[in-house]
Amino acid sequence: MTQATWFFRERLIARILARPEPLVMLEAPAGMGKSVLLRQIAEATGSVVHISHSPPTLGEGIALWDIPPYGNPAPLPESLFSGEGRIVVAKRPGVDLAGMTRAFAYGFGARIEAQELLLDEDEATAAFGAVGAPEILNRSGGWPLAAFNSGRITDMAEFIEHELLDHVSPEELVDLRHLMAGGKVPARQESLLLPFALPDAGQRLELNVRTWAADLEQAIHTSIGKRITTPAGAKAIAEAYAAHGRVVDAITTFQDAGFMDNAYQQFNRAGGLFFIYYHGPAAFDRVLAGFPSSYAHQSELLVLSLALQSCKRGDISRARRLLIDRFGDLADDLDAVFGPRSVFSREFREFRFLMLIYEDYRFTEETLTSLFSLAAEFPSDAHLFRGSLYNSVLEFYIRQRRFAEAEEAAQRAMNHYEAAKAPMLCFYISLHQAMIGLIKGDTLAARKHAGRAAKYLDEVPFETPNDVRLQMLLEACIEYEGGRAEPLARFLNTEIDDFSHGEIWPSLMEFTLLYGSQAMATHFSLLAARGFLDRWRVYQTSNRQFQTMVSIREAVILQNANRWTEAATRLKDMALPIDRASILADPARLEHLSDRDDIGLSLVWLRQILHEQPDLPSLEPMLTHALANLNITDRQRMGVGIWLAYVHKRNQDLTRARALLLRIFEDAARLGSIAPLAEEKVFLAELMDNKRISEFLSASSSARQVIRKLRDSGHLGTASGIRSELSRRENKILVMISEGAANKSIAGMLGVSEATVKFHLGNVYRKLGCRSRQEAISTARAAGIVG
């Protein structure tokens, strides 16, 4: 049997003829087989099908009335209500038939539901055989037209649009589009979506027909396009979208129809300035692009949203220009914006605070006071605005290394964001909390917050690839702290290019630079690490804070590669108030520094001085002052502690050296963090080469655990054995020749004769088993003594 041959529906016909009511109504959409069924009834009963807008005459036997789909039919025959005959009527749902309601009300009528006209398994098997029936049912959903006559319609999209979708409500049309997109739709009491959708056992609609999916999609698109040409139609379609949570479609429907005020109201209700955090960057861009610039310029909310869009794209100058064009030059005058006589709204001032972070602005205590005063202007349930104010404070506290206050600000922001049901913003707070743990050196706390961040990220209802990369980086850094370098190395090898073009706040940049450069230098090469930093330096050309962070990290990796002369040059080129001279002149100042970059720069200079002048009498008090600084992080404290232990060892005070190291190693074990120790392997290796120190540490199970992780991860290796065979002067000369220095230059820097330099070089060659300068450099690099 071919698809063009209709199956005689014997059981259905018998059920219709068995009804005792004088009226049997077949009301179903096009293609459900109503007309064919009437013809089959006519064949079975010897009747004739009456096709007209006028009813047939009732008499003996059964009358069959097939009402054409277009036009207005006459009422049911009055004689039907006096018991003068029986009639079976077939019509489409949109056709009004006078007398039908009355017939059902008085018990004269029975309805054959549209769903009963779908083919069941038995009928499909009888029509197409046991082998072909399952595939036919799966493809057609039992829709007779799709099962039997699909090949006869040349333009199915047009047929679906005019014969089916023109008769459904705007809400049902959007229901169908939502189903096609994979959404969930509750079944309505009376649905005209047959044959395309059927209610399941849970009274939710599910797609029924899989044939012509592309044609159906095209028909839906065309039908919606026609309806939004009128205000009422556009409003109905947009509200149906909004009811399904498809806010972007609701807004763009109003925009396409030219109803900008309605689109604006929807945008405001859907989050307004915070729209991006609920619907994603792509939706944010799409919606903002739909507002004409002349319209957007009149709205404070839209201008602020466009400025936020520019900030997130890294175009701060455009954001500033948007504000000035809309609000005047005072928008760029911080005293006017935040002063006691400010004419700007609290929402504008809150956004302007946010922009300060993007603008590389150095917050002061006065700034902080203004920020807290502004928070008081918002009601307690303005969760998004209040949460974002605390978020701005969080960035300030992280930069100032005021971690206790940062944690409190983070928790306040989290409380507001959770109340606002904003998982994207909750993710950012958890991410910052994990990052605080890493910066402090508390890997256990970082791991806990990273788990919460992953949970919130899973709840985000849109795709956000760069935030997924942020989570990947965070988790890789946590693994790196515990001694597993592979996840971070893999991330840096495969994801860093895409990651570097996303939006990253200053505090997140810091830990990206820290871990990325350390891993690149340790597991790839010095050249790879410098390339990594240069990429970020170019990307953030205008950000002074960022340039400082990059330069500090570059100096550190040069030091770790034993390129000390080059590191000193890099530090001098920074031309900042904190330098070698200022540290030597006022060591006590180290105890009172609070700014992140000031602390970072002072510590890297201390490191340089330690290498160049390890016997300097003032080194111990300088390091003691640094350790007394309450603003340095735990991981920085570990590093300074190793330097101080190194000084104790050189002063032959092994008791203090090993006691200090034991405390550091036990702290590292407690916090689950070895990366701060790994970064100090230049000094740590020499300390561990001392048998009395290494045996003392090995007596502690916690310290043994850390030592094992350092060795397993390659941070404590055989290089220390080679290094221990060389004197300090020989080591220094080896570093200098690896940096390309000639004998004459080395003699000048060390204050000795060229003959003395040659004598030391001879000892280096002998101890390394080499015959030439180049062989010595290659051997030293292979052993990890130089970079």
Side-chain angles (χ1 to χ4, degrees):
M1 180 174 289
T2 65
Q3 282 194 331
T5 304
W6 284 81
F7 170 70
F8 192 83
R9 308 189 70 177
E10 184 176 353
R11 286 190 304 165
L12 181 57
I13 292 171
R15 194 159 71 246
I16 292 171
L17 295 177
R19 296 295 308 186
E21 296 86 356
L23 167 66
V24 177
M25 180 65 64
L26 307 178
E27 186 176 57
M32 296 296 290
K34 301 182 299 297
S35 297
V36 173
L37 192 57
L38 286 186
R39 291 199 299 269
Q40 291 181 352
I41 293 173
E43 182 181 339
T45 60
S47 305
V48 176
V49 178
H50 181 76
I51 305 174
S52 173
H53 286 102
S54 301
T57 303
L58 300 185
E60 293 185 7
I62 188 166
L64 305 173
W65 185 14
D66 192 358
I67 301 176
Y70 308 109
N72 298 312
L76 282 167
E78 190 63 30
S79 58
L80 179 72
F81 298 95
S82 59
E84 294 184 9
R86 297 183 65 209
I87 186 170
V88 177
V89 180
K91 77 176 190 69
R92 292 190 183 181
V95 176
D96 290 327
L97 179 60
M100 184 176 70
T101 304
R102 177 185 167 200
F104 287 125
Y106 284 99
F108 284 92
R111 190 190 304 272
I112 300 297
E113 299 293 342
Q115 191 168 335
E116 296 180 67
L117 300 185
L118 296 173
L119 294 176
D120 60 27
E121 291 184 13
D122 291 339
E123 289 178 321
T125 301
F128 303 103
V131 175
E135 192 276 331
I136 291 289
L137 275 179
N138 181 61
R139 181 167 47 82
S140 68
W143 186 19
L145 177 66
F148 294 107
N149 277 356
S150 61
R152 294 186 178 183
I153 301 175
T154 57
D155 192 338
M156 183 53 67
E158 186 175 357
F159 175 86
I160 292 172
E161 177 197 342
H162 292 295
E163 302 298 329
L164 292 157
L165 300 187
D166 277 356
H167 306 293
V168 304
S169 68
E171 293 78 13
E172 288 182 310
L173 190 58
V174 173
D175 282 353
L176 192 54
R177 166 163 276 186
H178 195 57
L179 281 173
M180 293 288 288
K184 301 291 185 181
V185 177
R188 300 180 185 275
Q189 188 171 2
E190 291 187 10
S191 175
L192 300 179
L193 291 183
L194 276 171
F196 299 111
L198 288 173
D200 61 15
Q203 288 304 298
R204 282 186 172 275
L205 288 180
E206 58 182 12
L207 283 176
N208 182 50
V209 179
R210 290 165 177 79
T211 307
W212 308 313
D215 295 297
L216 177 56
E217 189 68 55
Q218 180 184 338
I220 294 171
H221 178 76
T222 305
S223 185
I224 288 177
K226 288 193 304 185
R227 298 192 188 208
I228 65 173
T229 56
T230 66
K235 186 173 185 294
I237 292 290
E239 288 177 351
Y241 275 134
H244 283 306
R246 298 181 62 161
V247 175
V248 177
D249 288 320
I251 295 170
T252 54
T253 295
F254 279 129
Q255 290 173 332
D256 291 343
F259 305 125
M260 295 301 158
D261 288 345
N262 300 84
Y264 172 82
Q265 291 165 9
Q266 280 283 350
F267 175 70
N268 196 15
R269 285 197 294 267
L273 188 58
F274 300 92
F275 183 96
I276 188 172
Y277 302 114
Y278 287 97
H279 306 283
F284 192 53
D285 293 347
R286 180 182 170 195
V287 165
L288 289 180
F291 289 108
S293 57
S294 57
Y295 182 91
H297 185 75
Q298 302 170 28
S299 163
E300 174 177 297
L301 171 59
L302 291 179
V303 170
L304 294 182
S305 298
L306 288 166
L308 176 62
Q309 179 189 56
S310 296
C311 288
K312 289 186 171 294
R313 291 175 176 175
D315 193 349
I316 308 302
S317 60
R318 181 176 183 272
R320 193 178 294 117
R321 174 49 55 192
L322 283 165
L323 299 186
I324 292 173
D325 287 347
R326 171 65 174 80
F327 302 101
D329 291 336
L330 287 180
D332 205 35
D333 184 337
L334 299 184
D335 291 334
V337 172
F338 301 116
R341 297 183 180 179
S342 176
V343 298
F344 296 97
S345 70
R346 63 190 183 190
E347 289 78 13
F348 177 91
R349 285 177 283 145
E350 194 274 344
F351 178 76
R352 200 64 188 84
F353 262 119
L354 175 70
M355 269 189 66
L356 295 181
I357 296 173
Y358 288 101
E359 291 175 310
D360 188 26
Y361 183 82
R362 286 180 175 267
F363 278 28
T364 63
E365 290 297 331
E366 290 74 20
T367 312
L368 210 58
T369 300
S370 299
L371 200 54
F372 284 121
S373 298
L374 177 57
E377 294 185 34
F378 288 95
S380 59
D381 61 351
H383 296 298
L384 289 169
F385 283 101
R386 292 179 69 88
S388 294
L389 286 167
Y390 285 117
N391 197 1
S392 299
V393 173
L394 171 62
E395 189 73 20
F396 167 78
Y397 282 142
I398 291 175
R399 178 177 173 79
Q400 291 293 316
R401 296 301 192 246
R402 292 158 63 174
F403 291 125
E405 290 152 300
E407 287 285 4
E408 183 180 353
Q411 192 54 57
R412 287 177 179 270
M414 181 68 80
N415 292 340
H416 284 294
Y417 287 155
E418 285 182 333
K421 294 180 172 57
M424 183 83 266
L425 293 168
C426 292
F427 163 73
Y428 288 138
I429 298 300
S430 294
L431 190 75
H432 276 80
Q433 289 174 309
M435 182 201 65
I436 290 171
L438 286 173
I439 291 176
K440 290 168 60 178
D442 189 346
T443 307
L444 299 181
R447 194 180 298 277
K448 179 190 74 173
H449 289 299
R452 293 184 67 193
K455 179 183 75 72
Y456 286 123
L457 191 58
D458 286 341
E459 295 173 7
V460 173
F462 50 84
E463 295 295 322
T464 174
N466 213 56
D467 293 313
V468 172
R469 293 189 189 98
L470 269 174
Q471 181 69 20
M472 288 173 59
L473 175 61
L474 173 63
E475 292 172 357
C477 291
I478 290 171
E479 292 300 314
Y480 189 80
E481 283 285 350
R484 290 189 63 238
E486 297 84 1
L488 183 55
R490 184 166 57 250
F491 180 90
L492 294 171
N493 194 41
T494 62
E495 299 289 342
I496 198 63
D497 285 335
D498 290 330
F499 176 78
S500 63
H501 291 91
E503 179 206 7
I504 308 178
W505 279 39
S507 53
L508 295 176
M509 290 177 183
E510 177 187 3
F511 106 101
T512 302
L513 290 176
L514 171 66
Y515 285 95
S517 59
Q518 183 176 348
M520 280 285 190
T522 303
H523 300 284
F524 293 94
S525 66
L526 174 63
L527 183 64
R530 297 187 81 172
F532 170 83
L533 292 173
D534 284 342
R535 178 192 290 127
W536 286 95
R537 181 181 280 118
V538 170
Y539 179 61
Q540 294 284 337
T541 304
S542 61
N543 190 319
R544 295 189 306 277
Q545 292 180 21
F546 193 77
Q547 295 298 318
T548 300
M549 281 192 284
V550 171
S551 295
I552 291 173
R553 285 306 303 166
E554 184 177 9
V556 171
I557 64 169
L558 285 168
Q559 292 173 342
N560 285 340
N562 272 320
R563 304 278 283 269
W564 294 92
T565 304
E566 199 172 342
T569 301
R570 164 52 62 193
L571 290 170
K572 290 174 185 174
D573 289 344
M574 293 174 67
L576 293 174
I578 294 179
D579 58 13
R580 184 199 308 267
S582 66
I583 292 173
L584 292 173
D586 185 12
R589 182 186 179 194
L590 294 167
E591 192 170 335
H592 306 290
L593 296 174
S594 61
D595 182 78
R596 174 196 63 202
D597 295 336
D598 291 345
I599 292 173
L601 188 57
S602 67
L603 293 183
V604 77
W605 266 117
L606 266 178
R607 209 167 186 255
Q608 187 75 22
I609 295 168
L610 177 64
H611 168 76
E612 294 175 356
Q613 301 172 275
D615 299 318
L616 188 69
S618 59
L619 256 179
E620 184 173 338
M622 280 194 289
L623 295 172
T624 302
H625 281 302
L627 282 174
N629 189 325
L630 299 179
N631 296 312
I632 70 171
T633 68
D634 286 344
R635 69 179 297 125
Q636 288 171 331
R637 198 174 301 281
M638 288 182 192
V640 178
I642 289 171
W643 303 344
L644 185 56
Y646 180 83
V647 171
H648 290 330
K649 175 184 175 295
R650 291 193 59 83
N651 292 338
Q652 305 301 314
D653 192 346
L654 292 184
T655 300
R656 294 174 69 189
R658 63 189 189 179
L660 182 53
L661 276 182
L662 178 61
R663 188 164 65 249
I664 292 169
F665 275 51
E666 289 180 339
D667 283 345
R670 175 176 54 83
L671 297 171
S673 180
I674 68 162
L677 308 185
E679 182 133 273
E680 299 305 329
K681 64 183 179 181
V682 171
F683 301 101
L684 192 59
E686 184 171 329
L687 287 164
M688 295 301 293
D689 282 343
N690 184 282
K691 188 176 181 181
R692 288 177 60 190
I693 291 177
S694 59
E695 288 181 351
F696 179 81
L697 293 178
S698 297
S700 163
S701 60
S702 298
R704 279 201 311 273
Q705 177 187 358
V706 171
I707 292 169
R708 185 177 64 254
K709 286 184 177 182
L710 285 169
R711 284 181 174 151
D712 290 346
S713 58
H715 296 299
L716 279 181
T718 58
S720 58
I722 298 174
R723 185 184 288 108
S724 65
E725 296 180 9
L726 303 175
S727 70
R728 176 166 179 80
R729 176 142 292 182
E730 289 164 353
N731 264 304
K732 184 166 285 190
I733 290 175
L734 183 56
V735 169
M736 289 179 173
I737 66 170
S738 73
E739 293 179 346
N743 289 354
K744 185 175 182 179
S745 299
I746 295 172
M749 285 187 280
L750 296 180
V752 297
S753 67
E754 282 191 64
T756 302
V757 172
K758 290 178 181 179
F759 171 78
H760 288 305
L761 271 177
N763 287 335
V764 169
Y765 296 162
R766 175 176 54 80
K767 292 178 181 180
L768 296 182
C770 302
R771 298 181 179 179
S772 68
R773 198 183 198 93
Q774 192 55 51
E775 281 186 22
I777 294 171
S778 298
T779 301
R781 283 181 176 163
I785 299 174
V786 299

